[in-house]
Amino acid sequence: MRKPVDRTALEFLARSANEGFARATAACFAARLDPTLDELNDLKTAVSEAVTNAIVHAYPEQLGKVRMTMKLFEDDTVEISIKDWGIGIADLEKAREPLYTTGGEERAGMGFTIMESFTDRMKVRSAPGRGTTVTLSKRMRSRREIGR
């Protein structure tokens, strides 16, 4: 197993106002890799979807917490895990289908699809009654590397 060269974590309440905080924090953490704006925006979009899913779906009847762990690796990969301790996902395969949602008519059901398309790898672990962890990985090609 490879070891990160840097790591940090934060925990926040599952409130919609904290989605922007998580998104900005992830962008600041990844910025040291000197990514392109497109790469940074892709990462922010994926993190936003993961955090929003935790806020909307994990705690439908209570206020819970979300933990975001961020790691940097030597190959300029950033890995971000979003963990909740909510209700979990009963049918993970079904939940990953585009347009499927348990969030009502106002939800599009595209969260996992968006996360997958904006990162290099997405992994989801969930257990009913125990919560969900979404891990997103993206290798950042620095602007220096692109200019070569």
Side-chain angles (χ1 to χ4, degrees):
M1 184 170 158
R2 62 189 187 144
K3 289 189 173 194
V5 295
D6 200 2
R7 170 192 167 123
T8 192
L10 62 115
E11 229 172 69
F12 50 90
L13 292 176
R15 295 183 191 272
S16 60
N18 286 331
E19 178 272 327
F21 172 67
R23 178 182 169 103
T25 302
C28 288
F29 187 77
R32 69 182 83 189
L33 297 175
D34 195 26
T36 65
L37 287 177
D38 286 341
E39 289 175 320
L40 208 50
N41 285 331
D42 288 352
L43 184 68
K44 286 165 50 178
T45 299
V47 167
S48 181
E49 289 294 329
V51 170
T52 298
N53 274 1
I55 291 168
V56 170
H57 299 288
Y59 304 107
E61 311 229 349
Q62 64 184 12
L63 183 61
K65 65 182 177 177
V66 177
R67 175 180 293 146
M68 183 167 76
T69 305
M70 298 167 280
K71 299 176 185 176
L72 293 179
F73 294 91
E74 282 186 12
D75 67 350
D76 292 338
T77 296
V78 61
E79 181 182 281
I80 300 177
S81 296
I82 311 298
K83 177 177 180 45
D84 67 66
W85 291 266
I87 64 171
I89 301 170
D91 186 343
L92 192 52
E93 191 173 316
K94 184 77 173 164
R96 290 184 70 160
E97 289 178 10
L99 305 178
Y100 176 80
T101 183
T102 58
E105 290 179 17
E106 69 278 359
R107 311 306 308 174
M110 295 297 291
F112 286 135
T113 302
I114 290 168
M115 286 181 251
E116 273 186 314
S117 65
F118 283 96
T119 59
D120 298 326
R121 197 177 106 237
M122 179 190 75
K123 183 172 123 183
V124 182
R125 290 185 335 212
S126 189
R130 297 184 53 182
T132 301
T133 301
V134 175
T135 303
L136 308 166
S137 297
K138 184 166 183 67
R139 184 175 178 276
M140 301 296 195
R141 291 184 48 212
S142 76
R143 288 180 289 206
R144 295 180 307 276
E145 185 179 321
I146 292 169
R148 290 182 195 156

